[in-house]
Amino acid sequence: METKLNQIKGLGPKTIYKLRQANIWSTYDLILHVPKSYKDFSISNPSELKHESRVTLHALVTSPLMNNPYGKVFSTTFDIKVFDQVIKVIIFNRKYLSKQIKEGQMIIVQGVYHLYRQQLLATEIKLNVDDNQSIQPLYKIKDVSDYVISKAIASIFQDEKVQIFEIIPEEFIKRYKLVSRVEAYRNLHMPKSFSDIEQAVRRLKYEEAFFLELKVVSDQSIFIKRKPKTYDINYIKSFIQTIPYELTFDQKQAVNDIYRDFKKDHAMFRLIQGDVGSGKTVVALIAIMAVVSMHEQAVFMAPTNLLANQQYETYKKLAPKLNIGLLTQKTPNKTQMIKDIKSHQYDLIIGTHALIEDYVEFSNLGLVVIDEQHKFGVDTRNQLIDKSHSKDVLYLTATPIPRTLAMMTFGQQNVSLIKEKPQQKAPIDTQYVTKDKLSVIFNHIHKEIKLNHHVYVVVPAITSDKVDDNIESVYELLTHKLDIDIYMIHGQMKKQQQEDTMQKFKDKPSVLLATTMIEVGIDIPTATTMVIFSAEFFGLSQLHQLRGRVGRSGLASTCYLVSEKSDIDRLELLSRIDDGFELANYDLKIRGPGDFLGKDQSGYLKFHFLDIMQDQKIINIAQKDVLNLLKQKDFKTNYKYKYLNRYIKETIKI
Ligand code: ADP
Ligand code: MG
């Protein structure tokens, strides 16, 4: 399929060396390295020759070239004749031109036309007028000229030194009138018109969407067949009656979605998305009740000990009759707990990633719930899911994943949204503060502590080698300015130490200085002040999440964003917008998808052509196509899909 570069005319060892540095090793690599942009040398017609317009002229040189070395910049002037008029050309910094251009020669010259001076301020001159390539690709490969690359690519196509197979099934090529794969690349490298480029991009966008969805869909469990779940509806109804409040409309919808999944003949793969405090916990519990009613176990994995404990306490209260086990790194009698899990002493096991260890075995695991899914790697999640016989999985997240991303990675039908909050809380007063105004914050903290409230201070790093505002430096600042107890918590402390600190903080009005580890789930009703140092380091969603740690019981609360002026536009969005989803969309635009899906997941979301914000339609179409394709029983063996299957095996490895 590939040819080495040294077999290509015009590529010497030096160029090949440079190409390798750009990670181009074969002809195939070179073809996939598409132009960054294009220069348009389409020849203008007479009507385009207007004052101050940019034109490209095919013209006769009618005077010798005059160099003017004495101005601020070196300039060269000469006359050309075009459309029966004489125009003076000026071009800067091209000393060598006077050796290359002679009176009486045809050239192509590009620049801005000045009508009254009959002058062209030229930026480009092309000497090879026979070259009918009017659109010139710009590759921007370091130390290799675009000309050399264009020539090499032309000879690769001419001498068939590369094989580019069609990998999109013919039915889709026909349906959407796409150009073939080889044609798309040929058009990108040697376009005859801009519509050539458009057609190529349209095809390659579809291709990228197609392979994205192939990966996404095959990661889902829809192809894992199982019998519909035969839960006991009366058991569930009588549990719902014990819940001390009525479910909100969105919560009911989410529960319905889950139960509809249970009735299907394949495993559930569902994301419950809802801002902090939207009531995901009880929805998950109602799902858990279904498997418990059919004598299966359920497991709930949380990202930290703290959250696992909190979850355990909540569920104990909501469902006192349920046998719930807690397994974290610090479970006292672990051996016994592990035995009891296996012998089905517990219906529900709540824990941290301690749950994924091989020695933790379940008796009949029918549902996996993963809280704050993006806090775990794909492997961790899969290790837990693999322990269940049915592979049903429910993801909960308070990070509002932008709609576009959620649909793309979970599929339209697999996302339940809880938008409405059960208790409307007072909005949190969000203020942007520069470093020279910190006294405002210190005064406010003193006031709040007197009211017996709690204060969080968040910094982006632990030590000073990374950023100015870190646990060390801010601790010093706070002890200097505040006559209040200050506790510290960060990820490098032992878990036990973290929990002791949290307890002490809760016990009396005080300040907790922390890294973003407090961003998820921590719930202290009397916390009313959040101060975030170096706020420019965080995504808007993350800041929103941190802000959600205060004002949890309706007490008037404040969030201070400490940063320098340069970031003010972005941060001011936070004082205006209280909708996590809207903020998430800004993050997606500004920071890309990594914030939402975790690094290992967003890796495959790097595209050359596809724009996940703009190309939603293409992605949706590709998703449907892939679903239908994979539903064909003989997909893996059908000769029609030979190259596609090979490509899948070699490239996306599913
Ligand atoms: P999340 O996990 O989505 O952040 P929780 O499930 O912890 O939110 O719910 C937040 C608070 O709202 C909890 O104290 C819970 O008891 C309460 N709650 C949940 N659903 C309702 C409801 N429908 N009506 C009233 N209160 C609710
Ligand atoms: Mg929760």
Side-chain angles (χ1 to χ4, degrees):
M1 187 147 162
E2 301 183 2
T3 307
K4 288 206 176 115
L5 291 171
N6 58 16
Q7 294 184 36
I8 302 308
K9 278 181 253 163
L11 289 184
K14 262 192 201 150
T15 308
I16 290 177
Y17 177 75
K18 296 290 180 202
L19 289 175
R20 284 184 184 160
Q21 286 187 323
N23 211 10
I24 297 168
W25 298 81
S26 66
T27 54
Y28 187 65
D29 292 343
L30 189 58
I31 296 302
L32 289 202
H33 198 98
V34 299
K36 297 267 183 305
S37 59
Y38 296 90
K39 221 186 261 172
D40 184 6
F41 277 102
S42 320
I43 305 297
S44 313
N45 54 45
S47 67
E48 289 171 64
L49 197 62
K50 289 192 197 120
H51 183 52
E52 297 205 316
S53 63
R54 188 171 182 81
V55 290
T56 308
L57 304 172
H58 187 190
L60 177 71
V61 179
T62 56
S63 78
L65 271 64
M66 297 274 291
N67 285 332
N68 177 10
Y70 305 114
K72 262 190 197 147
V73 263
F74 187 98
S75 67
T76 304
T77 54
F78 58 95
D79 292 342
I80 55 170
K81 192 169 174 197
V82 63
F83 312 137
D84 284 326
Q85 51 181 306
V86 175
I87 296 174
K88 185 174 278 308
V89 176
I90 302 179
I91 188 159
F92 296 109
N93 288 324
R94 308 285 165 95
K95 206 170 177 175
Y96 55 88
L97 279 180
S98 51
K99 290 207 189 78
Q100 295 179 339
I101 301 177
K102 298 273 169 305
E103 193 177 344
Q105 184 179 338
M106 293 299 291
I107 60 166
I108 290 172
V109 53
Q110 192 170 65
V112 175
Y113 177 61
H114 196 290
L115 176 69
Y116 312 108
R117 292 189 207 138
Q118 285 285 294
Q119 196 178 70
L120 187 76
L121 192 56
T123 49
E124 302 285 341
I125 292 184
K126 215 164 104 169
L127 303 176
N128 183 1
V129 291
D130 298 330
D131 171 7
N132 61 4
Q133 189 74 31
S134 62
I135 302 172
Q136 265 191 11
L138 304 178
Y139 290 97
K140 304 203 172 120
I141 298 178
K142 201 166 175 269
D143 297 331
V144 186
S145 82
D146 290 335
Y147 178 74
V148 167
I149 295 175
S150 285
K151 277 201 79 138
I153 285 177
S155 99
I156 290 171
F157 278 115
Q158 170 117 42
D159 303 341
E160 295 180 10
K161 294 282 192 200
V162 70
Q163 274 181 302
I164 298 175
F165 295 110
E166 184 52 80
I167 45 185
I168 300 288
E170 203 185 317
E171 57 221 73
F172 304 128
I173 299 275
K174 279 205 179 126
R175 188 180 309 160
Y176 308 121
K177 300 194 170 55
L178 302 175
V179 296
S180 71
R181 189 160 201 253
V182 63
E183 213 175 319
Y185 281 106
R186 190 199 293 272
N187 284 353
L188 284 182
H189 290 293
M190 304 187 286
K192 291 199 187 57
S193 65
F194 279 95
S195 119
D196 273 2
I197 299 173
E198 262 168 47
Q199 288 306 315
V201 169
R202 193 170 77 90
R203 183 239 140 80
L204 292 166
K205 274 177 191 253
Y206 179 83
E207 182 181 311
E208 285 185 337
F210 184 86
F211 284 99
L212 164 73
E213 289 306 325
L214 208 53
K215 166 109 184 79
V216 167
V217 169
S218 60
D219 276 352
Q220 299 174 4
S221 42
I222 43 175
F223 299 103
I224 305 171
K225 295 283 173 197
R226 60 138 168 75
K227 293 210 178 80
K229 287 197 184 283
T230 51
Y231 49 81
D232 176 355
I233 190 70
N234 292 325
Y235 179 90
I236 295 152
K237 277 190 178 152
S238 64
F239 165 70
I240 291 178
Q241 265 153 21
T242 67
I243 299 174
Y245 41 76
E246 154 118 316
L247 295 186
T248 63
F249 179 78
D250 287 349
Q251 282 174 318
K252 284 181 190 162
Q253 289 287 316
V255 169
N256 285 342
D257 290 344
I258 294 167
Y259 275 75
R260 212 172 301 124
D261 290 345
F262 283 159
K263 285 186 206 142
K264 290 183 178 153
D265 65 350
H266 58 76
M268 172 170 76
F269 176 80
R270 177 161 297 281
L271 174 71
I272 307 276
Q273 252 191 303
D275 218 341
V276 176
S278 63
K280 299 180 294 292
T281 309
V282 70
V283 171
L285 187 55
I286 297 170
I288 289 166
M289 286 304 176
V291 296
V292 172
S293 82
M294 50 193 286
H295 309 292
E296 292 181 349
Q297 284 177 316
V299 65
F300 186 110
M301 182 161 73
T304 64
N305 280 343
L306 226 75
L307 290 174
N309 283 328
Q310 205 171 288
Q311 197 69 28
Y312 177 75
E313 296 301 332
T314 308
Y315 277 179
K316 274 258 166 230
K317 262 187 232 139
L318 274 171
K321 283 194 221 142
L322 206 61
N323 295 315
I324 310 178
L326 179 66
L327 183 74
T328 65
Q329 280 79 357
K330 47 167 294 205
T331 296
N333 196 346
K334 231 179 189 167
T335 328
Q336 187 59 40
M337 175 56 78
I338 284 162
K339 260 191 210 153
D340 291 346
I341 292 173
K342 197 175 175 192
S343 62
H344 211 139
Q345 303 295 307
Y346 298 107
D347 303 312
L348 167 64
I349 300 95
I350 295 173
T352 54
H353 61 264
L355 292 162
I356 68 164
E357 299 297 346
D358 283 341
Y359 53 76
V360 182
E361 290 172 66
F362 297 88
S363 95
N364 192 8
L365 186 56
L367 176 64
V368 174
V369 184
I370 299 181
D371 198 12
E372 294 306 330
Q373 46 100 19
H374 64 290
K375 296 274 162 192
F376 299 98
V378 177
D379 288 345
T380 309
R381 290 168 358 200
N382 287 343
Q383 277 177 59
L384 187 60
I385 295 165
D386 281 345
K387 295 185 186 202
S388 88
H389 61 86
S390 67
K391 315 281 188 249
D392 287 279
V393 48
L394 189 61
Y395 293 110
L396 309 181
T397 184
T399 308
I401 304 176
R403 207 183 115 79
T404 42
L405 266 189
M407 296 301 160
M408 205 162 92
T409 47
F410 280 82
Q412 193 116 22
Q413 0 29 321
N414 297 326
V415 181
S416 303
L417 208 58
I418 306 185
K419 277 211 106 163
E420 165 195 17
K421 286 194 192 166
Q423 304 127 323
Q424 273 311 325
K425 287 174 186 148
I428 298 157
D429 179 21
T430 303
Q431 294 186 25
Y432 177 87
V433 178
T434 48
K435 273 221 164 149
D436 51 341
K437 305 252 165 56
L438 287 180
S439 59
V440 173
I441 298 177
F442 296 133
N443 291 339
H444 183 86
I445 294 178
H446 275 122
K447 217 177 67 203
E448 287 297 310
I449 296 292
K450 281 210 185 91
L451 293 169
N452 284 337
H453 294 160
H454 289 87
V455 173
Y456 297 109
V457 177
V458 173
V459 293
I462 299 172
T463 51
S464 60
D465 48 336
K466 289 198 189 116
V467 284
D468 290 348
D469 292 323
N470 52 70
I471 293 263
E472 285 169 3
S473 66
V474 175
Y475 184 76
E476 226 181 277
L477 179 72
L478 295 181
T479 44
H480 207 79
K481 299 284 184 187
L482 300 172
D483 190 19
I484 296 169
D485 286 316
I486 298 162
Y487 298 103
M488 266 195 290
I489 186 168
H490 57 76
Q492 277 174 18
M493 283 162 61
K494 294 230 169 66
K495 292 271 187 273
Q496 185 59 50
Q497 228 180 332
Q498 288 179 11
E499 270 159 47
D500 293 348
T501 310
M502 277 313 282
Q503 200 52 52
K504 281 188 203 146
F505 170 63
K506 273 188 202 168
D507 285 347
K508 67 167 164 204
S510 54
V511 174
L512 183 70
L513 173 61
T515 52
T516 54
M517 62 180 297
I518 64 157
E519 124 195 36
V520 285
I522 287 185
D523 196 357
I524 296 175
T526 46
T528 55
T529 307
M530 167 65 71
V531 183
I532 304 169
F533 276 86
S534 292
E536 70 273 14
F537 273 85
F538 304 106
L540 294 174
S541 304
Q542 203 177 7
L543 292 169
H544 178 67
Q545 198 84 324
L546 286 165
R547 168 167 73 180
R549 299 299 104 217
V550 298
R552 296 182 64 79
S553 59
L555 292 171
S557 298
T558 314
C559 172
Y560 292 103
L561 306 170
V562 182
S563 180
E564 294 312 322
K565 284 235 153 36
S566 60
D567 203 26
I568 190 161
D569 288 345
R570 189 181 70 104
L571 293 181
E572 279 198 341
L573 289 172
L574 275 159
S575 39
R576 274 197 287 116
I577 302 172
D578 190 38
D579 177 353
F581 286 94
E582 209 177 312
L583 291 168
N585 266 328
Y586 282 102
D587 273 344
L588 183 59
K589 276 186 211 146
I590 303 169
R591 294 162 62 102
D595 279 10
F596 304 101
L597 301 173
K599 282 202 183 64
D600 53 344
Q601 263 214 67
S602 57
Y604 67 86
L605 295 177
K606 291 204 180 82
F607 305 109
H608 287 294
F609 304 98
L610 197 66
D611 178 328
I612 54 176
M613 302 294 282
Q614 310 280 323
D615 296 326
Q616 265 312 291
K617 261 198 192 139
I618 301 181
I619 295 170
N620 288 342
I621 288 171
Q623 193 172 71
K624 277 197 203 102
D625 292 344
V626 165
L627 276 168
N628 288 330
L629 190 69
L630 293 187
K631 274 184 195 148
Q632 297 183 22
K633 288 211 170 59
D634 63 346
F635 170 68
K636 289 267 168 208
T637 49
N638 193 325
Y639 189 78
K640 270 204 311 200
Y641 306 127
K642 182 176 143 191
Y643 290 121
L644 174 58
N645 273 312
R646 188 155 111 191
Y647 191 82
I648 290 174
K649 225 159 111 198
E650 284 168 4
T651 316
I652 54 177
K653 303 194 173 69
I654 55 172

